[in-house]
Amino acid sequence: MDTNALKKFAQAARNLLIDQVTAKLDLGLDEAAPARREHPMAVKELENAIAKDGKQQVIEQVAYTWFNRFTALRFMDANAYTQVRAVSPAEGATRPEILSEAMAGNLPDGAPVAIVALLDGRTPSNDPQAEAYRLLLVHACNQWHGPMPFLFEEIGDYTELLMPEDLLSQTSILAELRKVMTEDAVRTSRSSAGSTSSTFPRRRIRSSRASRKTRRSRPRTSPPRRSCSHRTGSSAIWWRTRWGGSGC
């Protein structure tokens, strides 16, 4: 993989994510914000975190968290570790495959039923696809918490509340990520540095679609025990860009 291109992307992504998370935080903390009614516990946790660590530290940490998740999901999509791609479209499509499947009525096991209500118009929304996709992403991240807790801590607090808004447009951070982390580049990188790919268990997220059963299954493995060394690749680039250290 072109590490120079990845480093340049990581620096731009950091600025973009910080701007988007800051906007979401300011909106969520507004006294008249709908989030105060819809997610009172998350807002309370956010206020407590700001009181403890400071606003800028919270913004940096949330932005870094989502950067890690997006890059990890793209890596797994490119290597077919996810049965239904989480941040990547199927061949010839433009929407992330997990959203296209949901729109066709095929939700991942255990996904929130609110997704269906959004997509069939029963829940009013200015952008139902975007809202549904956010729920799908959170669900996907939480599914990976079991096999990879070092990278996918469970989401359900203000981290979800502060998720960036623009994830589906052709100028979104996910679209830019796919340009840098092409499937060929990811696979080449995996071949030349097998230790990186070994951190990702070959676990497939099942779909309710019957035809998915015909896909070739991969052997199950468990992630190795790791310490701070799990911050590799693009995650390490972000960490060094921000804090100037190894990320340990």
Side-chain angles (χ1 to χ4, degrees):
M1 190 182 299
D2 185 348
T3 55
N4 288 329
L6 189 58
K7 182 181 294 187
K8 183 178 180 180
F9 165 76
Q11 292 168 344
R14 173 180 178 269
N15 295 332
L16 175 61
L17 283 171
I18 286 175
D19 287 346
Q20 293 185 347
V21 170
T22 299
K24 290 294 295 289
L25 184 146
D26 290 340
L27 182 62
L29 291 181
D30 189 283
E31 291 298 328
R36 288 190 175 275
R37 300 187 304 274
E38 299 168 1
H39 309 285
M41 292 301 296
V43 173
K44 183 64 176 178
E45 289 180 13
L46 175 59
E47 291 174 333
N48 290 341
I50 291 173
K52 178 183 177 182
D53 300 320
K55 179 179 176 180
Q56 193 58 39
Q57 178 63 26
V58 170
I59 291 170
E60 292 272 3
Q61 188 58 44
V62 171
Y64 175 67
T65 295
W66 281 115
F67 180 83
N68 272 0
R69 279 154 177 69
F70 294 155
T71 53
L73 289 170
R74 175 56 182 166
F75 182 92
M76 292 190 288
D77 284 352
N79 284 292
Y81 295 156
T82 47
Q83 184 181 29
V84 180
R85 297 178 177 192
V87 300
S88 315
E91 187 174 353
T94 56
R95 297 186 186 91
E97 187 177 18
I98 196 171
L99 176 59
S100 295
E101 285 291 301
M103 294 175 67
N106 304 309
L107 290 182
D109 291 346
V113 295
I115 295 170
V116 177
L118 279 165
L119 293 176
D120 67 13
R122 285 183 287 125
T123 298
S125 171
N126 292 328
D127 194 342
Q129 290 186 28
E131 286 194 44
Y133 183 55
R134 290 163 61 83
L135 293 175
L136 287 163
L137 265 184
V138 170
H139 179 68
C141 289
N142 286 341
Q143 280 195 307
W144 284 105
H145 170 69
M148 288 192 292
F150 56 84
L151 185 56
F152 289 98
E153 296 177 4
E154 282 193 288
I155 302 173
D157 55 9
Y158 63 81
T159 305
E160 177 182 353
L161 187 66
L162 300 181
M163 184 193 299
E165 280 291 338
D166 179 22
L167 298 177
L168 295 177
S169 78
Q170 294 307 302
T171 58
S172 70
I173 186 170
L174 295 185
E176 295 301 317
L177 180 62
R178 293 192 293 266
K179 292 177 184 177
V180 176
M181 294 181 67
T182 65
E183 295 192 4
D184 287 344
V186 169
R187 290 167 184 167
T188 299
S189 174
R190 185 177 63 130
S191 299
S192 61
S195 60
T196 300
S197 63
S198 68
T199 68
F200 292 87
R202 297 172 181 261
R203 172 179 179 268
R204 291 176 172 269
I205 299 177
R206 293 184 300 164
S207 168
S208 58
R209 196 178 202 180
S211 63
R212 295 287 177 190
K213 297 180 180 179
T214 63
R215 288 196 176 190
R216 178 169 58 87
S217 61
R218 292 177 179 264
R220 292 176 180 268
T221 62
S222 297
R225 290 183 178 274
R226 312 186 71 187
S227 59
C228 63
S229 62
H230 71 261
R231 288 194 178 101
T232 58
S234 53
S235 299
I237 291 170
W238 169 291
W239 191 272
R240 288 194 296 269
T241 300
R242 171 57 182 89
W243 284 282
S246 64
C248 298

